[in-house]
Amino acid sequence: MPETKPTEQAATAETEAQLSARQLYQQAVNYQAEALHYHLLKAARQALLEQDFNLALAISESLRQSPYALIQRQLPLPLLQAYLATQQHSHSSRLIEQTDISSLEQAEQSQFIWLAADYLSQQQRYVLASKLLLQLTQSPVAQQDFPLHQQLLWQNLSALSDSQLDALRTNASARALAWISLAQLSRRNIGQPEQLQQAFSEWQQRNPRFAAEQALPEAVRQLFQLTPYQPRHLAVLLPLSGQFRQHAQAIQYGMLAAASQHNNTRLSFIDSQQPAAELQMQISQLQADFVVGPLLKDQVDSISQQPDWHWPTLFLNSKDPNTAVKPEQFYFALSMEDEATQMAQLFQQKNYRRPVVISSANNISQRMQQRFISQWQQQGNTTPEHYSFNAKADLESLIAKLLETDRSSARVKQIGSLLNDKLEADPHSRLDIDAIYLIADPVQTRLFKPFVDVSVSQTAPKLPVYASSRSHSTGLDSTDLRDLNGLTFTEMPWMLGEQTTQALRQQYQQLFPEQDETLQRLFGMGFDAYNLIGNLRQQQQLPAAVFAGLTGQLRLNKDGSLTRQLSWAMYRNNRLRPVQEP
């Protein structure tokens, strides 16, 4: 760059300040080497100010291979801004994951962290977003420069499980530890006002810097002001007669197990197999102040539409989308579609581009397949390949067709027929598939996984296979476990025997040593239903609040429906192991 006098530099800077991004871009060609890259970067920043995002993206991308240290320190922030503005999701995620924030210009580190955390939060990548936001708490001007910082931090911390919060404690600063402790005490005492207030007072004493209530997000202050549901008499509507009697009893046992830990609410169980008017009369006679149930969908739809149903109610099935939203009606279902949504979100977070969905042809599996497809499309992706099968015999041919090993085998055979010498060659599988989502029962899964393993070429990257809780069974032997090595799936904490459930699981096993797995899940549902009651009002006011239950991490939507985030587990080295995803 030619040497200029100070007065000339000032005049040049003033002239450049008046130029548009495209003029700056055109002017940059007058420079060479590092000066050229510096002026291109300047044009990219101006393009961002002018919201000419495509130009900003094109320039920033062209500088990614710049050999100059100054450019490499200053490029990540405008590059991230361009990616976010043009909705380049996979590129945004990769840049965030690969950027060493300490290597950025000091003045740009906080802005990069904020943008990255906000994006990750929108993508529901709460663990990584929390890590970045906790890092931002170290900045003395974080609250001044980013007024929504604490609000977003609390929103992400509230979405984490206890184990995820514990993991964040490693190498955390004192300020970060205070936030993590606050999130943990709020979860452990939600629905118990006296214990919550006592825990909060102790937390304030240990963390005097946070003692001023106005230093905390509004959502935290609201948490300590809400009065939860504290029913004295609970009416539980279940199909205690008829074909669903066993299902009803499993839920009943779960609720009684939860109630035994509190002893402050009377429970009355009512057979729901009778007209709504009769149920209303019995509830009134009991003077119940909260209702749980019914369980069956037609009964839920009927009662939820009754104009004179005035009790706050936790229905044990999904909400009819045509039913009006009512402030004291809540819906808790063990929805399999929630698992498909969770899997689609994971695939997006892992930057998979060409997943394949394979499901058995039954009704539930098909609904899950459709939910995955619709969720994948909503995330801006094209319709994924999807297949269905009717019987075990279909699986081997389906995998050969999917991976195109049948075509490869045919080519090997054809070439061999043209040669005099015997041709030795392995069939090659296709390489464009990056993940498989299998929706099948345990028997079908144990057949499917080995078929895939032997069909993928030895020279090809390992093809990850994911499944739902429909694939999991607690009664697997060592051979089954070996066949399933590498399979990752979603499952409720109760069925995985997670640490927080072990004591209850041991008691349960003594009472019901050989109970059907469907009934085990319903026991967990009943246990959670009882404990959820004290949390519903808080979750209604605080959308980020999460109930950590036996059936998963439960969040309350605006329409009163609870959605579940299940735990992740993997078969590895012939053992079932919990894993953190993503």
Side-chain angles (χ1 to χ4, degrees):
M1 186 173 177
E3 191 174 324
T4 55
K5 297 178 181 178
T7 54
E8 293 174 340
Q9 290 178 336
T12 301
E14 184 177 354
T15 301
E16 289 183 348
Q18 300 171 358
L19 297 178
S20 68
R22 293 187 178 272
Q23 289 172 324
L24 287 171
Y25 177 67
Q26 293 170 354
Q27 193 178 78
V29 299
N30 297 323
Y31 299 88
Q32 295 180 350
E34 186 172 2
L36 167 62
H37 288 201
Y38 172 79
H39 282 84
L40 286 173
L41 186 59
K42 188 173 182 180
R45 288 193 175 115
Q46 183 61 30
L48 288 168
L49 291 174
E50 296 172 5
Q51 299 187 5
D52 191 348
F53 299 124
N54 288 329
L55 177 61
L57 178 62
I59 297 173
S60 300
E61 279 283 9
S62 72
L63 292 172
R64 292 199 65 177
Q65 303 304 318
S66 175
Y68 305 108
L70 175 66
I71 303 301
Q72 289 300 324
R73 288 198 305 272
Q74 296 185 357
L75 179 62
L77 178 59
L79 184 59
L80 179 60
Q81 290 171 316
Y83 282 156
L84 295 177
T86 54
Q87 298 186 350
Q88 305 284 321
H89 295 297
S90 60
H91 288 86
S92 298
S93 296
R94 197 173 300 116
L95 178 63
I96 292 168
E97 292 164 2
Q98 294 176 352
T99 298
D100 177 5
I101 294 172
S102 64
S103 70
L104 305 183
E105 289 289 323
Q106 188 72 32
E108 296 182 345
Q109 289 180 14
S110 294
Q111 179 71 10
F112 186 94
I113 290 173
W114 171 252
L115 290 175
D118 185 42
Y119 171 76
L120 292 168
S121 180
Q122 293 174 35
Q123 296 295 307
Q124 299 184 357
R125 299 184 64 178
Y126 302 119
V127 174
L128 189 50
S130 295
K131 286 181 180 178
L132 290 173
L133 290 164
L134 288 170
Q135 185 177 343
L136 193 57
T137 62
Q138 297 299 102
S139 170
V141 294
Q143 198 59 24
Q144 175 185 323
D145 293 350
F146 311 104
L148 298 179
H149 162 244
Q150 291 186 348
Q151 179 181 325
L152 188 64
L153 172 58
W154 183 252
Q155 176 184 324
N156 280 274
L157 290 175
S158 299
L160 300 182
S161 66
D162 275 343
S163 60
Q164 289 171 327
L165 287 169
D166 280 334
L168 289 178
R169 289 179 169 275
T170 305
N171 299 324
S173 66
R175 194 169 184 84
L177 287 172
W179 278 105
I180 295 167
S181 296
L182 183 61
Q184 289 180 317
L185 75 86
S186 68
R187 168 166 305 131
R188 292 167 183 169
N189 296 282
I190 192 169
Q192 305 174 74
E194 294 180 5
Q195 293 94 320
L196 181 61
Q197 193 59 55
Q198 176 65 28
F200 180 55
S201 297
E202 293 172 358
W203 178 87
Q204 286 179 307
Q205 292 172 13
R206 293 194 305 270
N207 301 280
R209 295 171 65 183
F210 290 87
E213 195 176 33
Q214 62 269 21
L216 297 172
E218 177 65 23
V220 179
R221 297 200 298 274
Q222 288 180 5
L223 183 65
F224 299 104
Q225 296 169 1
L226 289 171
T227 302
Y229 287 116
Q230 295 175 301
R232 297 181 304 278
H233 194 165
L234 192 62
V236 186
L237 312 181
L238 293 170
L240 298 173
S241 61
Q243 63 175 321
F244 296 104
R245 182 170 175 270
Q246 274 193 310
H247 300 79
Q249 284 181 335
I251 293 174
Q252 184 179 21
Y253 295 151
M255 295 192 70
L256 289 170
S260 69
Q261 299 179 356
H262 301 282
N263 295 320
N264 54 3
T265 301
R266 180 184 171 192
L267 276 72
S268 293
F269 293 93
I270 302 172
D271 190 350
S272 62
Q273 304 282 48
Q274 50 190 318
E278 180 66 24
L279 294 173
Q280 286 178 281
M281 185 179 70
Q282 292 185 44
I283 296 168
S284 296
Q285 289 174 346
L286 290 168
Q287 297 184 331
D289 47 359
F290 199 101
V291 175
V292 173
L295 172 66
L296 305 182
K297 187 68 168 68
D298 59 337
Q299 295 173 359
V300 169
D301 293 343
S302 172
I303 288 176
S304 63
Q305 295 171 19
Q306 295 291 322
D308 56 345
W309 190 271
H310 59 271
W311 297 278
T313 303
L314 176 61
F315 295 106
L316 298 179
N317 212 311
S318 56
K319 180 181 179 297
D320 184 334
N322 298 317
T323 300
V325 176
K326 298 178 182 178
E328 293 199 306
Q329 290 190 355
F330 309 93
Y331 299 82
F332 176 32
L334 300 184
S335 170
M336 301 300 296
E337 284 91 334
D338 286 348
E339 295 191 49
T341 297
Q342 184 175 342
M343 193 65 71
Q345 291 167 349
L346 176 74
F347 281 16
Q348 180 79 6
Q349 292 159 7
K350 284 184 168 290
N351 297 318
Y352 293 145
R353 299 268 58 88
R354 293 290 303 275
V356 173
V357 193
I358 300 174
S359 69
S360 55
N362 61 66
N363 183 45
I364 294 177
S365 297
Q366 290 296 293
R367 290 206 322 262
M368 293 179 68
Q369 184 187 78
Q370 288 306 310
R371 171 63 69 87
F372 179 93
I373 292 171
S374 63
Q375 185 70 27
W376 188 248
Q377 291 171 327
Q378 287 175 29
Q379 293 170 174
N381 302 296
T382 58
T383 303
E385 279 188 63
H386 54 281
Y387 302 90
S388 298
F389 62 90
N390 287 295
K392 294 186 294 183
D394 300 336
L395 279 174
E396 189 169 6
S397 60
L398 189 155
I399 294 168
K401 178 182 177 183
L402 166 67
L403 299 177
E404 296 182 357
T405 52
D406 54 348
R407 296 186 187 179
S408 179
S409 297
R411 287 194 295 272
V412 169
K413 190 173 182 179
Q414 183 181 26
I415 294 171
S417 67
L418 301 175
L419 301 173
N420 293 326
D421 297 328
K422 184 178 179 181
L423 177 66
E424 294 186 4
D426 293 324
H428 286 274
S429 57
R430 56 190 288 197
L431 301 177
D432 57 328
I433 297 173
D434 47 19
I436 292 177
Y437 182 28
L438 174 67
I439 308 171
D441 66 31
V443 173
Q444 294 163 339
T445 303
R446 292 198 296 273
L447 289 169
F448 180 90
K449 182 64 169 59
F451 280 160
V452 173
D453 292 342
V454 300
S455 298
V456 174
S457 306
Q458 293 184 1
T459 55
K462 191 172 183 180
L463 183 59
V465 180
Y466 297 84
S468 71
S469 62
R470 292 182 61 76
S471 292
H472 177 232
S473 172
T474 56
L476 300 178
D477 59 28
S478 57
T479 302
D480 298 329
L481 292 172
R482 185 179 65 246
D483 289 342
L484 293 174
N485 275 332
L487 181 76
T488 304
F489 63 96
T490 46
E491 181 58 284
M492 61 173 63
W494 174 237
M495 300 303 292
L496 294 174
E498 291 188 2
Q499 188 171 0
T500 54
T501 72
Q502 284 180 0
L504 179 63
R505 170 57 77 173
Q506 289 173 0
Q507 297 173 18
Y508 179 86
Q509 290 296 112
Q510 291 175 357
L511 293 171
F512 309 104
E514 297 180 359
Q515 192 162 49
D516 176 87
E517 290 184 5
T518 298
L519 300 183
Q520 292 184 43
R521 290 183 165 89
L522 290 173
F523 175 92
M525 183 186 194
F527 193 91
D528 282 355
Y530 181 90
N531 288 320
L532 265 168
I533 295 170
N535 292 39
L536 290 171
R537 192 163 274 160
Q538 278 83 346
Q539 290 187 275
Q540 196 171 40
Q541 295 296 321
L542 307 172
V546 177
F547 173 80
L550 300 186
T551 60
Q553 304 289 317
L554 306 179
R555 294 183 179 84
L556 188 64
N557 297 329
K558 292 180 180 178
D559 68 352
S561 298
L562 288 144
T563 57
R564 296 185 303 148
Q565 191 84 4
L566 278 72
S567 298
W568 294 98
M570 172 187 277
Y571 295 106
R572 186 167 57 205
N573 297 329
N574 302 339
R575 291 182 61 187
L576 179 62
R577 302 173 187 271
V579 292
Q580 293 289 342
E581 290 284 7

